[in-house]
Amino acid sequence: MRDLQADCLLHLEADNPLMPLEMRDVHLALNGKPVLRAVDLSLEGAGCSVIMGPNGAGKSVLLKTIHGLMPVDAGQICWGGLPVAQVTRAQAMVFQTPVLLRRSAEANIAFVLKARGKSKRLAQSYLDRVGLSDMARQPARRLSGGQQQRLAIARALATDPQVLLLDEPTASLDPASVLMIEEILRDVRAQGVRIILVTHDIGQARRMADDVVFLNAGQVVEHSPANRFFQRPQNLAAQDYLDGRIIL
Ligand SMILES: Nc1ncnc2c1ncn2[C@@H]1O[C@H](COP(=O)(O)OP(=O)(O)O)[C@@H](O)[C@H]1O
Ligand SMILES: [Mg+2]
């Protein structure tokens, strides 16, 4: 068998030392049920990869494993040549429902800055970045859903991640909030942060994706550049999904 770590090291990328992400033959069962099955995935360079697939396909579990939040039963997950367990602090994750501290918006950011040994005075600049400048003193939990998610993104950015992982971050938001968050993510991507986004929203995937990973029943059945995927997916289940024939 090939030495995975040595193999990863051959492909190190200059602009983001965490890339590429290499998953090789990853298996994971939960409660005796296979959830990830022989997952092979390579994500290179910069940009935004979108992970799509039917409900229960394993998207959330996949994202957790590549963030090092869930150990796998077999296979390798390697970031920039290093096993995932060694690099979790270089990635940040945003979930569908943000869990915020019962404090002001600013204090939520300051908490993370302090934990990372950074000045709490930087909090305002992260709020500015997500359009929440005027909300600094508001209790975080009284913000609207869209504002809370923007705060969660600001909090993730306050850790200076090289990779930002997002699991359906706009699933329960109104259209204006969705577009605002996409604008923030485009800006984050332009600054060189690698984005990996799980979404059910096909319109969002078209607007955001540089490449699409399609997951079905725990397997990566297609990984294509976005324009090729949306013009003509190679996989039948992906075609059915885009045509609305798979009920979510
Ligand atoms: N913590 C867990 N314990 C047991 N089974 C789980 C757990 N998390 C997810 N699963 C199962 O793994 C499968 C994939 O789940 P998930 O990754 O959440 O799907 P998706 O995000 O694609 O909708 C589902 O069958 C789900 O029931
Ligand atoms: Mg999910």
Side-chain angles (χ1 to χ4, degrees):
M1 204 172 141
R2 275 188 305 177
D3 179 341
L4 180 77
Q5 192 157 333
D7 195 38
C8 288
L9 285 167
L10 296 175
H11 298 99
L12 288 188
E13 309 214 2
D15 43 349
N16 189 330
L18 264 200
M19 299 308 293
L21 165 69
E22 300 270 6
M23 299 183 76
R24 293 282 163 79
D25 202 20
V26 168
H27 290 258
L28 173 60
L30 294 170
N31 292 339
K33 185 184 149 214
V35 175
L36 297 180
R37 299 188 293 150
V39 169
D40 282 317
L41 181 63
S42 298
L43 301 183
E44 308 277 332
C48 175
S49 298
V50 165
I51 301 174
M52 303 182 83
N55 221 350
K59 304 179 298 295
S60 295
V61 168
L62 178 72
L63 211 58
K64 284 179 193 156
T65 64
I66 68 183
H67 192 30
L69 287 177
M70 247 189 194
V72 298
D73 297 334
Q76 302 267 11
I77 304 177
C78 204
W79 284 102
L82 295 172
V84 61
Q86 291 180 27
V87 294
T88 49
R89 279 171 73 87
Q91 322 158 19
M93 185 143 163
V94 171
F95 298 92
Q96 182 179 338
T97 310
V99 180
L100 299 166
L101 300 175
R102 247 178 242 284
R103 300 184 194 176
S104 69
E106 187 175 28
N108 269 269
I109 308 286
F111 181 82
V112 168
L113 290 169
K114 185 160 180 264
R116 294 289 174 127
K118 293 163 69 180
S119 166
K120 291 198 279 187
R121 279 185 305 227
L122 294 170
Q124 188 65 43
S125 68
Y126 288 102
L127 293 174
D128 295 347
R129 228 171 136 184
V130 299
L132 290 177
S133 311
D134 299 337
M135 299 292 171
R137 311 233 176 282
Q138 298 295 317
R141 294 192 180 186
R142 287 218 213 111
L143 300 176
S144 72
Q147 290 168 335
Q148 289 198 21
Q149 195 55 293
R150 281 188 277 145
L151 181 58
I153 293 171
R155 181 177 61 183
L157 295 177
T159 67
D160 277 334
Q162 287 161 259
V163 178
L164 183 61
L165 308 164
L166 304 107
D167 192 358
E168 304 203 36
T170 61
S172 49
L173 302 182
D174 60 279
S177 298
V178 171
L179 293 181
M180 220 179 280
I181 285 175
E182 289 176 7
E183 192 60 41
I184 292 166
L185 296 181
R186 270 191 284 276
D187 176 53
V188 168
R189 171 174 58 185
Q191 295 186 12
V193 176
R194 188 66 169 74
I195 294 180
I196 302 175
L197 169 68
V198 171
T199 184
H200 262 141
D201 178 343
I202 293 171
Q204 176 167 75
R206 285 180 187 275
R207 291 189 293 275
M208 296 300 299
D210 294 306
D211 58 298
V212 177
V213 176
F214 193 82
L215 200 66
N216 196 23
Q219 288 185 302
V220 172
V221 293
E222 180 159 357
H223 182 200
S224 304
N227 52 5
R228 175 144 42 104
F229 182 83
F230 289 115
Q231 260 168 26
R232 189 158 181 60
Q234 308 298 302
N235 178 267
L236 276 180
Q239 182 74 64
D240 284 348
Y241 183 88
L242 288 184
D243 292 346
R245 286 195 292 271
I246 291 181
I247 308 298
L248 302 181

